[in-house]
Amino acid sequence: QSVDSSIDLQISDPNKVDFTEISGLGFSPTLTGPSGKPIIYIVNDGGGGRRFGIYDSGTGIRLLSLRMPRSLTLALDWESISVGSCGGANASSSCIYIADVGDNVALDTGGTRTQHKERPGYPLYKVKEPYYIDFADNDVLPESYVTTLWFNYFHATSPTRYSDCEATLVDSVGWGQDGAPGDLYIVTKWGWDSGLTRLFKIPARIWSQAKADGSFVYSPRAVGNYSAINGLSGVTWTRAESTLDGTVIALG
């Protein structure tokens, strides 16, 4: 469905912190708001109280906010949201992927230190797309809706042990020979001339091993050729998206 070329989002939220610094935005592939236009999911930089907003893309009005389960780790630096296939046996269903992956300390130290030092790694949240009319404003999502996967940059293909990141995207069709619906890609954020930027792939199948307590931490492999500073590794990327049919991948 099409949306207007420009709308103003209602940033005020009486429940907690207003949505004044939106760090991630994703359109629902299945649900529409009262206007008949697709739902938008947004997150605040830093997490804004471990919650995400649900908006009508036709009007910009916030319909409600939903809070993550209280058992989850505190939000540190939510920087990206992607919406697409849940993967695996639920590949035809839609999930919201929220990435707590911002790391300014890593950016400032060339990846030698991290602001996530008290954690087992960086958490990713896969949220089953909620039917928003089944919830009240500021409700807490049931734990059954959320799966937490921890990851780090310890794989040999990573040039640093820690990294900043503001861009993720989900594959909803299965790209390439080893691709599958629900594969998640992480684009690290570095200075344009560093040559450290990498594209990491987290296969959909890995989510079956996810442990919210961090007892399982996945080390993804960097995909692509980085023998020279190319168009990917020589740019500071802060956003990424892909179309549901897999025909367009956009980085910015």
Side-chain angles (χ1 to χ4, degrees):
Q1 299 187 52
S2 63
V3 296
D4 294 335
S5 59
S6 177
I7 60 168
D8 293 325
L9 291 179
Q10 173 193 8
I11 64 172
S12 62
D13 185 343
N15 302 304
K16 191 71 175 179
V17 182
D18 290 345
F19 289 100
T20 54
E21 189 178 356
I22 296 173
S23 57
L25 178 153
F27 286 85
S28 171
T30 58
L31 302 179
T32 58
S35 72
K37 299 293 186 179
I39 291 297
I40 303 176
Y41 301 105
I42 68 170
V43 292
N44 239 1
D45 190 289
R50 290 191 296 184
R51 80 203 199 291
F52 58 92
I54 301 178
Y55 283 72
D56 186 329
S57 67
T59 61
I61 294 175
R62 186 187 67 86
L63 302 175
L64 70 157
S65 299
L66 291 177
R67 290 179 290 158
M68 301 288 268
R70 296 182 180 88
S71 60
L72 298 186
T73 185
L74 291 175
L76 188 59
D77 198 352
W78 288 11
E79 285 290 358
S80 182
I81 187 171
S82 302
V83 185
S85 171
C86 294
N90 299 308
S92 60
S93 299
S94 299
C95 281
I96 306 164
Y97 296 83
I98 299 173
D100 192 347
V101 291
D103 196 336
N104 292 323
V105 172
L107 182 64
D108 293 339
T109 62
T112 60
R113 293 191 290 119
T114 178
Q115 67 189 53
H116 294 253
K117 60 183 178 180
E118 304 300 329
R119 295 171 149 193
Y122 302 87
L124 300 168
Y125 304 112
K126 181 167 70 171
V127 183
K128 291 188 294 185
E129 189 174 21
Y131 193 34
Y132 71 95
I133 65 172
D134 290 340
F135 295 89
D137 191 19
N138 209 35
D139 269 355
V140 177
L141 276 173
E143 292 193 10
S144 60
Y145 273 70
V146 184
T147 304
T148 305
L149 176 67
W150 292 85
F151 79 98
N152 59 31
Y153 295 102
F154 291 1
H155 194 276
T157 56
S158 175
T160 61
R161 289 180 66 82
Y162 309 106
S163 181
D164 192 19
C165 174
E166 295 185 3
T168 62
L169 59 94
V170 60
D171 173 8
S172 291
V173 295
W175 298 316
Q177 184 177 3
D178 299 322
D183 289 346
L184 189 69
Y185 289 84
I186 295 168
V187 187
T188 56
K189 176 189 174 185
W190 294 101
W192 66 271
D193 60 346
S194 70
L196 296 175
T197 301
R198 295 292 186 272
L199 176 68
F200 292 91
K201 176 182 177 181
I202 297 183
R205 57 179 172 77
I206 297 300
W207 286 91
S208 64
Q209 304 176 57
K211 302 290 184 182
D213 62 4
S215 57
F216 172 77
V217 182
Y218 181 65
S219 299
R221 173 187 294 272
V223 296
N225 184 354
Y226 302 92
S227 57
I229 296 179
N230 55 37
L232 178 65
S233 63
V235 178
T236 300
W237 304 107
T238 60
R239 54 196 182 275
E241 193 54 86
S242 61
T243 55
L244 287 172
D245 63 5
T247 57
V248 178
I249 300 172
L251 300 177

